[in-house]
Amino acid sequence: MERKQGFFSALKEDVVRGLSPGRSRGRSPSRSVSPRSGLMRRRRGNAYHLPQPEAIISRSGSLRPAEALSPLMEGPDPDASDGGDSKMERWGHWMKGQLCRASSVTSSSSSSSSSVFQRSDLRLLLGVLGAPLAPMHVSNNDPLPHLSIKDTPIETSSAQYILQQYTAACGGQKLQNAVLNAYAMGKVRMIASDIETATKVIKNRNSSKASECGGFVLWQMDPDMWYVELALGGSKIHAGCNGKVVWRHTPWLGPHAAKGPVRPLRRALQGLDPRTTARMFTNARCIGEKKINGEDCFILKLCADPQTLKARSEGPAEIIRHVLFGYFSQKTGLLVHLEDSHLTRIQTNGGDAVYWETTINSFLHDYRPVEGIMIPHSGRSVVTLFRFGETAMSHTKTRMEEVWTIEEVAFNVPGLSLDCFIPPAEIRFSSVSEASELPHGERVRTAVAAVAAAATYRAKVATMEKSHDNNINNIVLKMDI
């Protein structure tokens, strides 16, 4: 009798069987069901019985085009050696292969066949909404402060009390501390809705046709490691953090390191990682109350410190401020709205300064328990990109939207290793400031650093090619400058 499983359930069962063939695992009743379901037959004797690929059926019941997926082997390669290092290396490559397969499935839902660089709004959507970061560094190893009212401002003690209520509402600190790694997969739909200038407003009237659909996968592991892939409109971006450096890979900039300290992914703060969210607001202040969609909420405000802002600035691009607001329900204690705004000043040679203000408002809905932890399974983000300075006639305002749903979430994934969070080799020679994602001619990259990086990297590539010329297992990556 064949049994239908979610993508991640099959993935997790594969890993468990490979690491311990006699070990079995029960399916968690609270785990979300993936729409990317496939059939897998159990192993009989020493033979591997692999099913034929079939059409993928979504949760709503609509059919998607069938996609030929490579078969999954239940366990490691029988012909491979039994060495410990090679075994871990094989499982690292296998896990990466599953991640790439998941992202390819999500990207296949897009009907766009145009070139990646054909539409500037797609680049803007991916640059601004693809993988934004939190305002400042925070670590899951940092303990939450004890609630104290002695010699503590009322705004600070109130914020600490609200965070304790939020932690309890999400499942409790003990349960969250038991999570060593996490996985999430979801769908996204993005659109650049309208552009406002000093003389006219350009609205997107047919939003259903102009929107770009895709999906993402997110992996997290302690301490402070994460990796995300997002496919949209025929393009895909990667971003990750190995606990020491944050990097991104976009089709137009290639792999590059992010300026400033290690910071969490903002998408994780949208309810997917309650523990990191609580620690992010540790030093916040309670500044009042406000109704969000008819629900009374407390407002917590967090400002990035000057040292972090200075570290994130580069060349003519200066990050002036970055403020994060969290709206926590007075009724449930859960986070229902997240707002952050940062202001960038760009000083061109011999010209007036130009300012860019980016504001992202995210609304979280449909909280459901996953293995005892409350996770929002849908939400919406609205982005406003405001450019001002120079003359009044040059002011522009661009509005973008993202609607997202979470298809699958799981915690403590067996077999997830450090290999899944290794950054590309090129990032040590290339760093790009946040202003590089601003549209048109406002992108900033230090030319001197790029030239030095090119010379250093070419010299390294030449050395590697000379010393490993006869080793077919070594792959040399070349960076186009």
Side-chain angles (χ1 to χ4, degrees), residues 283 293 311 315:
N283 297 320
N293 295 327

Side-chain angles (χ1 to χ4, degrees), residues 272-291:
L272 295 177
D273 190 351
R275 181 173 54 169
T276 300
T277 303
R279 283 164 173 75
M280 177 61 63
F281 285 98
T282 296
N283 297 320
R285 297 180 299 109
C286 181
I287 61 173
E289 305 177 10
K290 185 178 181 179
K291 280 186 177 290

Side-chain angles (χ1 to χ4, degrees), residues 20-55:
S20 179
R23 182 179 174 186
S24 61
R25 180 187 62 85
R27 181 179 176 89
S28 173
S30 61
R31 179 162 298 166
S32 305
V33 181
S34 169
R36 298 165 178 85
S37 300
L39 296 178
M40 294 186 64
R41 296 196 181 107
R42 294 187 177 276
R43 182 173 55 188
R44 300 175 182 175
N46 295 326
Y48 291 88
H49 299 273
L50 302 174
Q52 297 296 326
E54 64 174 19

Side-chain angles (χ1 to χ4, degrees), residues 365-380:
H365 308 294
D366 192 17
Y367 270 91
R368 281 182 269 161
V370 178
E371 301 182 14
I373 299 178
M374 297 296 291
I375 301 294
H377 282 64
S378 65
R380 180 174 65 96

Side-chain angles (χ1 to χ4, degrees), residues 161-238:
Y161 175 78
I162 294 169
L163 291 179
Q164 287 193 356
Q165 296 300 311
Y166 169 68
T167 301
C170 288
Q173 186 172 353
K174 182 178 180 180
L175 184 60
Q176 295 177 27
N177 288 340
V179 175
L180 302 180
N181 59 61
Y183 158 87
M185 179 175 65
K187 299 177 182 178
V188 293
R189 181 170 60 87
M190 299 183 185
I191 181 175
S193 56
D194 56 74
I195 300 175
E196 178 181 345
T197 65
T199 57
K200 61 181 178 179
V201 177
I202 305 174
K203 290 187 175 292
N204 199 330
R205 298 181 179 180
N206 197 342
S207 59
S208 61
K209 291 185 178 181
S211 62
E212 300 286 355
C213 298
F216 69 92
V217 286
L218 171 64
W219 299 84
Q220 294 178 275
M221 191 169 83
D222 285 344
D224 310 326
M225 289 180 284
W226 53 266
Y227 176 77
V228 64
E229 283 191 10
L230 188 145
L232 186 76
S235 179
K236 183 166 65 174
I237 65 171
H238 315 252

